[in-house]
Amino acid sequence: MASVNDIRAQFLKYFADQGHEPVASSPLVPRNDPTLMFTNAGMVQFKDYFTGKSASPWPRAATAQKCVRAGGKHNDLDNVGYTARHHTFFEMLGNFSFGDYFKERAIELAWNLITREFALPKDKLLVTVYADDDEAFGLWRKIAGLPESKIIRIATSDNFWQMGDTGPCGPCSEIFYDHGDHIPGGPPGSPDEDGDRFIEIWNLVFMQFEQRAPGDRVPLPRPSIDTGMGLERVAAVLQGVHDNYDIDLFRTLIAAVEETVGRSHNAQTAASPRVIADHLRASSFLIADGVLPSNEGRGYVLRRIMRRAMRHAHLLGAQEPSIYKLVPTLVREMGQAYPELRRAEALISETMKLEEGRFIRTLSRGLSLLEDATGTLGDGAILDGETAFKLYDTYGFPLDLTQDALKSRGIGVDLAGFSDAMERQRAEARASWAGSGESATETVWLTLRDRLPATEFLGYDTETAEGVVQ
Ligand code: ATP
Ligand code: MG
Ligand code: MG
Ligand code: MG
């Protein structure tokens, strides 16, 4: 059986043999791009080549790119533990043409890889094209010989990619694998397309136009190709499993979670080992790329991911810091492909241990408070904003942790009440500041700022340029 490591290598070799430069993954913190919180697609490191801002050193490239989708426009944090196909950290395999080959060759390369090299059965595959992209429709007919019923035209932005309000853009084509009618979910474009029966494995973007201004779109003189295939998703298909969390890599990580943190014995905690395994990867890779848990920006996203994992560890019965003990297993599994993980191993373990130690005391007290506040509430109820704010402010519960903790019971959080409570606390802080006669205002301001981490929530929506979308 091909392992995740084998499949990554096979992908890169296939494209190298077809004249693509194998390029290393770029870091999760994008270089020279303050608009983007984390690298979330393979094309991020090549953005300047696609816009023409700088010239690509090679006409074609291929990568296995580390991606995190836990903030900004692409946020899969809430999907983890609930779908078979989403992670916060995952690897995106991609081939790129910088003004070299275009649609026909891109479709041919993709089709040959999955049906010849990977030997996927053709009758399990179906594709989507953008509604008016007759060219792509015809190419799928010609190259893959797919029947018209398996080339689905989609008119939404899911199948039209744009880098931003201006810049390169173009239609997409997504390749789906049908895991079988025993799994709920409909084909792309149907009302229940979000189910996990038809899973998108590969997204081809045909960068064909340049959006110069609203309503002003011109053809690019040298169109380009950007593709993204989820390594874990294609591994699931190749390993004959439906769920990403059943691939070799995740089985190993989940076994380590069960050994070290605890085992799930009921429906309420069934997803916990997967969530911990997922969040372990995201946290470790983020720390290896220089992010540290903090109350602002990227560091706060990391902290939210780590604390969510810790809540799940608590659900599994952990009373002591334990997630940091999983780091060696992860490094053993992924350290060869990503040597930065090995280099940062000590830092990752120490950072996690410290964060777990810091949170574990308030976590269990906060969870008791949450239990007291919601014990009698039923499905559809709302937790008051005051309590959610107290959990946040006194017990260090990120808002989304509280929401996640209540989600399985169908309980929501009064967000307006939460904001009001926060605003009131700020106003009080301001008032006592003004009345304190403090002259070193700067010190006070800095202290105040440190106490109000949630102001950073505003930052998550500032992203513009994104990689392969939908
Ligand atoms: P979906 O519709 O399933 O959420 P997407 O259309 O958002 O996927 P793209 O932005 O097209 O995904 O990313 C390219 C590829 O990366 C996808 O075809 C998929 O194989 C993979 N991928 C995307 N998001 C995730 C994720 N959260 N976890 C694992 N793989 C992912
Ligand atoms: Mg897609
Ligand atoms: Mg999609
Ligand atoms: Mg998505």
Side-chain angles (χ1 to χ4, degrees):
M1 186 187 75
S3 67
V4 165
N5 285 325
D6 297 336
I7 298 165
R8 185 194 304 107
Q10 197 183 352
F11 178 92
L12 293 172
K13 178 168 188 317
Y14 171 82
F15 279 104
D17 290 347
Q18 306 290 335
H20 293 66
E21 176 75 18
V23 177
S25 173
S26 64
L28 285 168
V29 176
R31 280 187 278 250
N32 311 325
D33 191 350
T35 65
L36 189 61
M37 183 163 274
F38 298 120
T39 300
N40 56 17
M43 61 74 64
V44 169
Q45 68 166 318
F46 301 129
K47 219 154 90 177
D48 288 350
Y49 304 155
F50 289 122
T51 58
K53 196 172 158 201
S54 55
S56 161
W58 344 267
R60 298 165 296 275
T63 58
Q65 174 66 50
K66 301 181 278 189
C67 294
V68 165
R69 293 191 174 185
K73 198 163 84 184
H74 282 301
N75 187 350
D76 287 328
L77 190 53
D78 290 329
N79 287 324
V80 172
Y82 295 92
T83 72
R85 68 185 200 276
H86 289 108
H87 307 290
T88 53
F89 170 92
F90 65 98
E91 289 178 72
M92 196 186 284
L93 304 172
N95 58 294
F96 306 89
S97 151
F98 309 108
D100 188 61
Y101 61 81
F102 196 46
K103 246 178 240 190
E104 177 157 13
R105 183 76 182 131
I107 291 177
E108 195 173 65
L109 284 167
W111 188 252
N112 287 346
L113 177 66
I114 56 179
T115 58
R116 292 195 196 155
E117 302 280 319
F118 290 164
L120 298 187
K122 188 173 144 181
D123 63 340
K124 300 266 193 192
L125 296 165
L126 61 162
V127 302
T128 61
V129 296
Y130 188 55
D132 65 12
D133 193 355
D134 296 330
E135 187 189 4
F137 190 96
L139 287 168
W140 280 115
R141 291 279 297 137
K142 184 178 104 179
I143 294 165
L146 285 173
E148 296 198 353
S149 62
K150 294 208 168 168
I151 310 172
I152 301 168
R153 291 179 188 263
I154 302 278
T156 65
S157 61
D158 274 9
N159 280 63
F160 195 88
W161 179 86
Q162 288 176 286
M163 193 179 279
D165 293 338
T166 58
C169 59
C172 317
S173 192
E174 296 186 326
I175 304 174
F176 287 76
Y177 184 82
D178 179 2
H179 281 269
D181 58 12
H182 56 293
I183 294 155
S190 72
D192 52 349
E193 65 174 1
D194 281 335
D196 273 334
R197 172 175 168 186
F198 296 89
I199 290 191
E200 175 188 333
I201 53 172
W202 205 345
N203 196 131
L204 315 181
V205 179
F206 310 126
M207 281 186 211
Q208 194 166 349
F209 307 107
E210 184 188 353
Q211 191 79 39
R212 292 200 298 203
D216 179 12
R217 187 180 285 171
V218 293
L220 281 172
R222 293 171 63 219
S224 290
I225 291 292
D226 155 30
T227 86
M229 169 155 66
L231 173 59
E232 299 80 359
R233 292 188 190 184
V234 76
V237 172
L238 292 176
Q239 296 180 7
V241 296
H242 166 241
D243 196 306
N244 279 18
Y245 292 86
D246 286 329
I247 63 177
D248 61 324
L249 170 62
F250 270 98
R251 276 181 196 245
T252 306
L253 295 177
I254 289 170
V257 172
E258 291 179 335
E259 181 85 2
T260 308
V261 180
R263 247 166 238 281
S264 162
H265 294 290
N266 61 54
Q268 214 214 326
T269 58
S272 297
R274 314 153 141 242
V275 177
I276 294 169
D278 174 84
H279 291 6
L280 167 74
R281 290 212 307 169
S283 311
S284 302
F285 274 93
L286 284 170
I287 295 167
D289 279 348
V291 184
L292 289 173
S294 77
N295 285 341
E296 314 193 318
R298 296 186 174 108
Y300 194 54
V301 177
L302 171 60
R303 173 161 281 167
R304 286 159 59 214
I305 295 172
M306 291 170 90
R307 292 192 170 185
R308 275 190 182 220
M310 291 173 212
R311 184 181 76 85
H312 284 277
H314 183 273
L315 285 178
L316 294 180
Q319 304 287 331
E320 299 292 325
S322 56
I323 300 173
Y324 79 94
K325 294 180 187 160
L326 303 167
V327 173
T329 309
L330 177 67
V331 173
R332 211 177 307 127
E333 291 296 309
M334 298 193 71
Q336 187 162 4
Y338 295 98
E340 64 270 33
L341 211 53
R342 280 191 186 148
R343 284 196 295 272
E345 180 168 355
L347 174 71
I348 298 167
S349 298
E350 280 309 307
T351 306
M352 285 201 181
K353 192 174 175 188
L354 200 67
E355 183 73 7
E356 286 190 88
R358 194 182 276 146
F359 188 47
I360 211 157
R361 288 182 294 277
T362 56
L363 173 66
S364 45
R365 284 193 285 137
L367 287 173
S368 313
L369 174 76
L370 188 61
E371 186 49 40
D372 292 346
T374 60
T376 58
L377 299 183
D379 200 356
I382 299 287
L383 173 71
D384 65 283
E386 282 296 334
T387 307
F389 181 69
K390 186 170 181 193
L391 285 166
Y392 164 81
D393 192 45
T394 311
Y395 297 93
F397 279 37
L399 177 61
D400 66 280
L401 187 154
T402 302
Q403 291 173 308
D404 188 49
L406 297 174
K407 186 171 165 176
S408 65
R409 291 164 57 203
I411 302 174
V413 176
D414 174 9
L415 298 179
F418 179 86
S419 305
D420 288 349
M422 168 129 24
E423 199 35 58
R424 200 166 49 245
Q425 197 219 44
R426 267 182 218 181
E428 281 164 15
R430 254 182 249 123
S432 62
W433 175 21
S436 70
E438 179 69 69
S439 56
T441 47
E442 211 169 43
T443 328
V444 178
W445 169 242
L446 289 173
T447 320
L448 183 66
R449 201 187 54 179
D450 286 346
R451 286 192 57 203
L452 299 170
T455 49
E456 289 301 317
F457 274 98
L458 299 173
Y460 300 164
D461 294 326
T462 57
E463 296 184 13
T464 50
E466 305 259 337
V468 177
V469 283
Q470 301 303 322

